[in-house]
Amino acid sequence: MTYRLYYSPGACSMATHIVLEEIGTPYELILICSRGEREGAMTASDAWRVMNPKGRIPALAGVPGSSGGAAELLTEAPAILFYLAAMHPDTGLLPADPADVARCIEWTNWLSGNVHAMSFGQIWRAQRFSDDEQALDSIRAKGRSALGEQYAYIESVLADGREWAVPDFYSIVDPYLLVFYQWSGRVVST
Ligand SMILES: N[C@@H](CCC(=O)N[C@@H](CS)C(=O)NCC(=O)O)C(=O)O
C-alpha cells in the first residue's frame, strides 16, 4: 500500500513527511500550496475543498474511513502522526505505555490547537479573527505575545535534561516540534 501525502513545503505537513521517511514505507507526495507564492493547486482551490472541505494540509490518502470529503483521506496533523506511528509500531514512534501515549496527545493537541491554530493563526492569518482591518495589527501582536510565552514554556520543559519531548524516546512529537522550531525563524523575520 502506498500512502499519498498532500503537503506544502515548510508547512506543518513537514512532520508527516519526516515520519513517512522514518517508517520507510513507500509514499507519494502531492503538492497543495498553503500560500500563494507557488504555482499549482492551492489549499483554497475548489478542487482541494472537494477533497478536504477544511481546505488545509496535511492530508494522507490511504487510510480507511472518511470524515467528509474524499474517501480514505485522513486530515489533522496529530491524527495522521498517530495513525502512521500506530500502523508501524516497529518504529517506536508511539510508546506502549498509556501514560506516554497521553503525553504525546498532550503535546500534539496543544501544539495544534494553541500554538498553531491560535498564535500562528493570529500572526499569519489575522483576518480569520476579525473583519475589521484596523484590528489586525493588534491581533498579530496578541499572537506574538502568546507565542513568546509558548516558546518559553517549551524551552522550560526541555530544559530538564530530556533529549526528546516525551523523555527517553524519540516520538511523533519531535518532528512536530521541529515544525514550530523552524517557524520561529519565519516569525522573527516577519
Ligand atoms: N488543524 C490542522 C491545521 C492544518 C493547517 O492549518 N495547515 C496549514 C499549513 S501549515 C494550511 O493548510 N494552511 C492553508 C490555509 O489556511 O488555507 C492540522 O493540525 O492539521
Side-chain angles (χ1 to χ4, degrees):
M1 211 278 306
T2 301
Y3 295 116
R4 265 194 328 278
L5 173 63
Y6 296 86
Y7 83 109
S8 186
C12 58
S13 51
M14 184 175 80
T16 306
H17 196 171
I18 292 170
V19 164
L20 283 167
E21 282 291 320
E22 302 279 12
I23 287 169
T25 189
Y27 66 92
E28 290 169 26
L29 286 176
I30 299 174
L31 179 63
I32 304 288
C33 295
S34 61
R35 289 197 168 259
E37 69 268 21
R38 296 184 184 89
E39 298 275 314
M42 300 289 305
T43 47
S45 70
D46 291 344
W48 178 242
R49 281 177 182 270
V50 169
M51 295 268 301
N52 176 12
K54 295 172 187 166
R56 308 283 174 90
I57 49 93
L60 186 74
V63 182
S66 170
S67 307
E72 305 209 331
L73 190 74
L74 182 65
T75 62
E76 301 299 320
I80 297 169
L81 295 171
F82 273 88
Y83 177 77
L84 287 172
M87 286 297 287
H88 301 273
D90 47 307
T91 59
L93 286 165
L94 195 60
D97 184 331
D100 289 331
V101 174
R103 294 293 167 193
C104 290
I105 297 172
E106 185 181 39
W107 269 112
T108 56
N109 188 63
W110 179 72
L111 288 170
S112 171
N114 289 56
V115 181
H116 186 179
M118 187 61 78
S119 300
F120 277 102
Q122 289 179 319
I123 297 167
W124 284 340
R125 311 268 188 185
Q127 68 286 354
R128 281 190 184 145
F129 294 82
S130 176
D131 291 329
D132 178 2
E133 277 290 319
Q134 313 277 343
L136 299 187
D137 279 345
S138 144
I139 290 167
R140 290 185 191 107
K142 274 273 184 204
R144 282 174 179 277
S145 163
L147 192 63
E149 289 172 17
Q150 288 157 346
Y151 278 140
Y153 166 74
I154 293 169
E155 290 297 334
S156 74
V157 173
L158 299 182
D160 70 358
R162 68 185 69 191
E163 282 191 64
W164 309 109
V166 178
D168 301 330
F169 60 89
Y170 175 71
S171 74
I172 51 172
V173 179
D174 299 291
Y176 199 31
L177 262 182
L178 184 65
V179 169
F180 298 98
Y181 174 75
Q182 189 221 13
W183 285 1
S184 67
R186 287 165 56 185
V187 170
V188 168
S189 61
T190 51

